[in-house]
Amino acid sequence: MKTTEIHISGRVQGVGFRPFIFNLAEEFQLKGYVSNDELGVIIVCQGENSEQFFNEIHHRKPKSSEIIFSEIKEIETAEIFDNFYIKPTEKNIVVDIPLTPDFATCESCENELFDEHNPRYFYPFTTCTQCGPRYSITKKFPFERENTAIEVFKMCPNCLAEYQNPDDVRFHSQTNSCPNCGIQIWLKDNQGNEFKGSNKEIFEELAEELSQGKIVALKNTAGYLLMCDATNSEAVSELRKRKRRPTKPFAVLFSGISTMKEYLEISELQIQHFKSSESPIIVTKIKDKKDLAIEEISPNMNSVGAMFPYSGTLKLISKTFGKPLIATSGNFHGSPICSTTEEAEQILDKIADYFLHNTLEIQHPQDDSVIKFSPKHQQKIVFRRSRGFAPNYFFAEELSELNKEKNKILCLGGDLKNTFAVVPNNHVYISEFIGDLANFETSERFENTVKSYQKIFNFEPNLILSDLHPKYENQKIIKNLWKSAESVGNKKIQHHQAHFASILGEKKLWKKDKVLGVIWDGIGFGTSTEIWGGEFFLLENQKMERVAQLENFAWILGDKMSKTPKISALSVSGNNEDLKFAFDENEWKIYTNLIEKSEIKTSSMGRFFDAVAFVLGYEKPLFFEGEPAMWLEKISQEKFPTDFTGFHRLKDYLENDEFENIPTKKLFSKIMEEKKSGKSAGEIGLNFHYTLIKAIEKIAEGFAVKELAFSGGVWQNALLVDLAIEFLGDKFELHFHEKLSPNDENISFGQLNYYLNLK
């Protein structure tokens, strides 16, 4: 009898692949088995239709799966199969496949949530093979129930019958549970008083407390969210006060697409992403604020981070409450998201009036992912890559070519907006967003997440890649986890070269003849006397060279300069006396003296944006990174409507200048002159953005390049991206991040790419 063996690799575990194969094999009258193995899925089958069966796997695979490798071959065996079955996975295998991220609740499961006659009515953890938590509940892989936090909930007879029935949507669903055997919820106030009632009554009581202006800490599938009535300005203001988050915008949870359309300008592209299995938060423009407390939600902005209810818990509360809700990470500003009952009650008791807990033990806490589409050209910009996307990055083909030594690599990333990357096998895994490692709890979360990857992959690195900065917090992990650090190789890679390497890797540009990298961000260690941040790198003949920059200006007072835009303005201007109004006599004397004598210089584009924002009207201290630049983008965007075609009104402030490096002081002086002449701040801001784009064009033409690659946090500016596409797109091939964020989250992947390609 002809026996065929099929191997499928990719995202094929935790996506209903084995039950899909079982039913397809039955359809083709094949006998044999399907099982998970370390490389994905193995199928052994006997019958006449195996070739057609193999082709149909690719055509009809589950929608959440990704096939990156497949092969079919005939094998010799004496075994004769009587039927087709799902074979249990062998114990203690170490996987070498992409892991499975969390999936948004599917439409079928959502319908069950609100069906009064369904056993899962108001059960928040209703899932099937195509939806529900995966990575957030996984202790180890392969993705089997026994390897997840669901394992403690033993299936009742009804759930077990579904699990064993090939015709059921929950056939072989590893997360299957119901109210009788599954995860329990309970509601209590911050004094410890518990509310008794059914799930429906709990959500109704929760909605009533929210309508009274109360703040709730709600445990979702990947961590706690802080919620309050988004139409109640007093409640939103109180949440800001308690969370210590004065101005950074909050995300808003809407009950569905129809409700979103009442408040927001949303496109079909955005709707597709809201309804996708990743379902990220999408930053989008307000159409009609209606009853939203928009000034408290998103101060001085005309946009909001909109959230679709992607989990059962969020669907139930948003529909029961009936109005938009604030849904922000359950933490103090700057700390990691809370994930356990004890952690939430200890950390959030001064913020939340009520807690909605559940008995699911979260293994990998994650913030929600955040994206935006540029208004004119709909270019995707990732602000935060986390739930729904982490920890996979499809890079196996490149790794097999570049990592022939099979090095096991840990890339530590940066200190702000940290992620790390690991290469424990033939795949690269990029962690969820972890955050600012200067925060003690976040640093602990970083270390614990690295340890969890060690456990999942039985992983010990023989090479660690880190930033060139000598004082980054994440480098302490080398001593904490590997006492014999001298036995582990450690290579340091410059911050902005890692940014450039990241976009080169994402867009597969390493083999191109010549690429100019435009790498603009806040700050990164350059040399002992230079802090970089406005860089141009040329990749040519497999060599990377810094070829141009934003002209240096004095760097003083460290973080104080980063948080006080007027200091950046004073430095960029070269102590221009027109700025004297902004300083008292003592400040003026100290700051001007420090600027004159400063030995450390910077090319920071982020601080340049701060300086321009200040002279155009942003005169307050900033409360979160990028706040002045966001304000500047907003007022400038208002002068650049998406249907505007009269570009003759735009002004290049450096049009008649020849330069090798962008002349910082000269450009800033022209902006100050324009402000004095009475031009509107928005018009000057738009021209400033346009001037930077034209400066890129001049520098690119000077190096005779045809391809431009953009990375660094400044490229989260959607106006800058649209202008680049509008004015550079016809002359150059442009490459923007779409899978990774342009900010420091991509540093870990960039470190890996730099090492693999330029070692």
Side-chain angles (χ1 to χ4, degrees):
M1 166 123 5
K2 178 183 176 183
T3 303
T4 302
E5 184 177 88
I6 296 170
H7 285 275
I8 310 280
S9 291
R11 192 163 76 190
V12 292
Q13 294 186 9
V15 293
F17 210 88
R18 288 175 296 170
F20 156 72
I21 292 294
F22 176 92
N23 284 313
L24 192 64
E26 291 275 287
E27 181 182 324
F28 279 88
Q29 300 180 326
L30 298 173
K31 296 177 180 179
Y33 66 84
V34 59
S35 183
N36 282 337
D37 67 5
E38 66 275 10
L39 298 175
V41 166
I42 181 172
I43 305 159
V44 174
C45 58
Q46 294 172 342
E48 298 303 315
N49 303 313
S50 57
E51 291 282 350
Q52 190 181 351
F53 168 70
F54 178 72
N55 292 331
E56 283 300 298
I57 290 173
H58 295 76
H59 293 147
R60 291 159 58 180
K61 65 184 178 65
K63 66 176 184 178
S64 297
S65 64
E66 293 271 358
I67 296 175
I68 59 176
F69 171 80
S70 63
E71 69 172 3
I72 180 171
K73 61 184 178 182
E74 196 170 332
I75 60 170
E76 297 290 331
T77 180
E79 189 172 4
I80 304 295
F81 298 104
D82 297 324
N83 57 11
F84 198 90
Y85 65 99
I86 297 176
K87 183 179 179 181
T89 306
E90 291 183 19
K91 299 288 185 185
N92 300 319
I93 65 171
V94 179
V95 296
D96 188 0
I97 59 170
L99 306 187
T100 312
D102 290 0
F103 298 128
T105 301
C106 70
E107 190 175 340
S108 173
C109 287
E110 179 179 4
N111 290 337
E112 293 186 43
L113 284 174
F114 297 105
D115 179 358
E116 292 182 31
H117 305 293
N118 192 286
R120 291 184 173 84
Y121 180 55
F122 264 80
Y123 178 59
F125 305 96
T126 300
T127 66
C128 66
T129 57
Q130 296 304 299
C131 73
R134 298 291 192 267
Y135 174 63
S136 62
I137 61 169
T138 297
K139 295 178 179 178
K140 60 180 181 176
F141 282 81
F143 191 80
E144 304 281 2
R145 191 180 183 95
E146 65 190 39
N147 293 335
T148 74
I150 296 285
E151 188 266 341
V152 299
F153 304 99
K154 304 302 178 186
M155 282 185 280
C156 66
N158 285 340
C159 286
L160 192 58
E162 293 172 329
Y163 183 85
Q164 294 173 339
N165 180 4
D167 297 324
D168 197 285
V169 294
R170 296 188 174 86
F171 175 48
H172 226 73
S173 171
Q174 302 303 311
T175 56
N176 196 24
S177 67
C178 75
N180 296 324
C181 63
I183 301 152
Q184 303 301 305
I185 64 170
W186 73 100
L187 177 65
K188 63 190 292 190
D189 64 22
N190 59 9
Q191 301 302 308
N193 302 307
E194 188 173 339
F195 174 82
K196 303 291 184 183
S198 66
N199 281 5
K200 185 173 186 290
E201 289 168 336
I202 285 174
F203 277 98
E204 288 172 342
E205 175 64 21
L206 190 57
E208 175 60 27
E209 296 301 339
L210 286 163
S211 70
Q212 298 298 318
K214 296 295 192 285
I215 296 167
V216 172
L218 174 147
K219 188 179 182 184
N220 200 22
T221 49
Y224 280 83
L225 294 172
L226 286 165
M227 310 188 86
C228 71
D229 182 355
T231 69
N232 184 331
S233 58
E234 290 182 5
V236 181
S237 295
E238 184 63 22
L239 176 55
R240 285 204 174 281
K241 180 181 171 184
R242 294 185 192 179
K243 190 173 160 71
R244 301 175 193 165
R245 182 168 164 162
T247 56
K248 191 173 185 180
F250 284 137
V252 178
L253 174 69
F254 296 89
S255 59
I257 299 300
S258 59
T259 309
M260 285 180 175
K261 286 180 175 178
E262 295 176 23
Y263 292 89
L264 310 171
E265 292 182 5
I266 57 172
S267 65
E268 283 304 312
L269 181 62
Q270 289 171 318
I271 291 170
Q272 288 172 24
H273 280 75
F274 279 127
K275 290 184 155 185
S276 69
S277 63
E278 297 87 5
S279 193
I281 294 171
I282 303 178
V283 178
T284 190
K285 193 175 180 182
I286 297 286
K287 179 175 73 176
D288 182 354
K289 71 174 185 177
K290 298 171 76 68
D291 53 355
L292 279 182
I294 195 64
E295 277 307 312
E296 289 76 24
I297 293 168
S298 191
N300 302 313
M301 298 291 165
N302 56 1
S303 60
V304 69
M307 181 190 288
F308 185 79
Y310 58 82
S311 71
T313 305
L314 295 182
K315 290 181 186 297
L316 290 169
I317 189 54
S318 61
K319 190 161 185 177
T320 306
F321 184 63
K323 293 189 292 183
L325 286 159
I326 299 298
T328 186
S329 298
N331 57 7
F332 270 121
H333 185 47
S335 300
I337 189 170
C338 295
S339 62
T340 68
T341 304
E342 298 72 28
E343 192 177 40
E345 292 188 357
Q346 180 182 351
I347 293 172
L348 304 179
D349 69 327
K350 297 292 191 295
I351 303 178
D353 301 302
Y354 286 85
F355 293 87
L356 181 67
H357 296 304
N358 67 58
T359 54
L360 179 65
E361 187 180 336
I362 295 169
Q363 304 299 307
H364 295 276
Q366 300 163 83
D367 291 278
D368 289 300
S369 297
V370 184
I371 67 172
K372 182 177 183 176
F373 294 95
S374 66
K376 184 169 178 60
H377 291 283
Q378 296 288 286
Q379 175 66 41
K380 182 182 175 184
I381 304 168
V382 179
F383 280 48
R384 183 167 67 202
R385 179 187 175 275
S386 200
R387 178 206 42 87
F389 297 99
N392 292 329
Y393 192 87
F394 292 96
F395 198 64
E397 187 179 338
E398 291 85 351
L399 268 182
S400 65
E401 180 185 339
L402 296 169
N403 190 28
K404 295 188 187 303
E405 305 88 350
K406 301 290 184 185
N407 280 318
K408 295 184 183 299
I409 307 170
L410 169 64
C411 312
L412 298 179
D415 251 22
L416 290 173
K417 296 179 171 61
N418 174 266
T419 69
F420 64 86
V422 297
V423 180
N425 47 40
N426 292 305
H427 296 270
V428 58
Y429 306 88
I430 306 173
S431 76
E432 62 274 24
F433 166 84
I434 293 174
D436 181 0
L437 301 186
N439 177 284
F440 176 74
E441 290 84 6
T442 308
S443 185
E444 275 193 323
R445 176 70 53 83
F446 166 79
E447 189 166 322
N448 289 334
T449 309
V450 172
K451 287 177 181 176
S452 77
Y453 278 56
Q454 286 183 277
K455 183 178 178 182
I456 287 171
F457 297 111
N458 191 24
F459 167 63
E460 290 290 330
N462 64 322
L463 177 63
I464 296 176
L465 307 178
S466 58
D467 195 274
L468 195 60
H469 197 295
K471 294 183 179 178
Y472 265 10
E473 287 292 323
N474 58 16
Q475 297 181 30
K476 293 177 182 175
I477 199 171
I478 300 173
K479 294 177 182 176
N480 291 351
L481 293 188
W482 295 280
K483 301 300 181 186
S484 56
E486 64 277 358
S487 65
V488 180
N490 182 208
K491 294 188 180 295
K492 296 186 180 295
I493 293 159
Q494 200 279 327
H495 187 90
H496 300 95
Q497 290 179 327
H499 269 306
F500 187 27
S502 179
I503 187 66
L504 292 172
E506 179 178 333
K507 295 297 183 176
K508 306 184 191 307
L509 302 175
W510 282 102
K511 293 182 180 178
K512 296 281 187 176
D513 291 336
K514 193 187 285 190
V515 183
L516 186 69
V518 186
I519 314 302
W520 293 352
D521 67 357
I523 56 172
F525 187 85
T527 68
S528 59
T529 59
E530 272 193 316
I531 294 170
W532 291 2
E535 316 309 320
F536 293 82
F537 292 96
L538 188 66
L539 178 75
E540 189 174 17
N541 300 321
Q542 287 292 292
K543 291 184 180 178
M544 185 187 293
E545 183 184 0
R546 184 191 190 208
V547 292
Q549 64 179 90
L550 185 68
E551 277 186 358
N552 283 334
F553 49 96
W555 176 264
I556 64 168
L557 298 171
D559 280 352
K560 187 177 178 70
M561 185 171 177
S562 298
K563 294 175 181 177
T564 315
K566 68 180 185 180
I567 298 177
S568 292
L570 186 63
S571 178
V572 171
S573 74
N575 289 341
N576 190 311
E577 298 232 344
D578 287 345
L579 296 174
K580 207 165 187 177
F581 73 92
F583 303 88
D584 63 35
E585 189 177 336
N586 194 45
E587 283 180 327
W588 181 262
K589 183 178 179 181
I590 292 171
Y591 296 162
T592 54
N593 186 49
L594 286 172
I595 288 167
E596 279 181 21
K597 295 182 177 178
S598 175
E599 293 182 0
I600 299 177
K601 308 296 181 185
T602 185
S603 56
S604 169
M605 186 61 79
R607 298 297 77 78
F608 193 28
F609 266 79
D610 290 350
V612 173
F614 175 77
V615 297
L616 295 184
Y618 186 94
E619 296 183 359
K620 59 182 181 178
L622 62 109
F623 292 104
F624 64 92
E625 188 192 13
E627 187 174 10
M630 286 174 64
W631 176 85
L632 180 58
E633 179 187 351
K634 179 230 175 189
I635 65 165
S636 304
Q637 182 72 64
E638 289 168 353
K639 297 294 181 179
F640 183 69
T642 55
D643 60 354
F644 173 56
T645 54
F647 295 127
H648 61 275
R649 288 200 295 168
L650 293 177
K651 185 175 181 181
D652 176 5
Y653 293 137
L654 299 173
E655 185 175 11
N656 299 317
D657 293 280
E658 296 296 325
F659 50 82
E660 293 181 358
N661 298 317
I662 299 175
T664 314
K665 187 175 178 181
K666 180 181 284 189
L667 174 53
F668 195 67
S669 296
K670 292 190 177 182
I671 289 167
M672 291 179 69
E673 287 169 16
E674 290 278 272
K675 187 70 167 60
K676 273 187 190 178
S677 73
K679 288 235 174 64
S680 76
E683 188 178 348
I684 300 168
L686 176 57
N687 288 332
F688 165 64
H689 284 79
Y690 175 68
T691 301
L692 291 179
I693 297 302
K694 298 302 284 184
I696 293 171
E697 182 179 2
K698 283 184 182 178
I699 290 171
E701 287 175 342
F703 289 101
V705 297
K706 295 298 181 187
E707 302 206 44
L708 302 177
F710 303 88
S711 191
V714 169
W715 292 103
Q716 289 181 319
N717 182 320
L719 172 60
L720 203 61
V721 168
D722 268 344
L723 287 168
I725 295 169
E726 193 71 46
F727 295 104
L728 303 177
D730 290 340
K731 296 183 178 181
F732 306 94
E733 190 171 343
L734 309 182
H735 303 280
F736 297 97
H737 286 288
E738 293 177 282
K739 296 177 181 177
L740 300 173
S741 173
N743 70 26
D744 281 9
E745 289 180 47
N746 73 49
I747 291 293
S748 58
F749 183 65
Q751 290 167 343
L752 176 65
N753 266 271
Y754 186 94
Y755 170 75
L756 291 176
N757 287 279
L758 299 177
K759 56 190 172 186

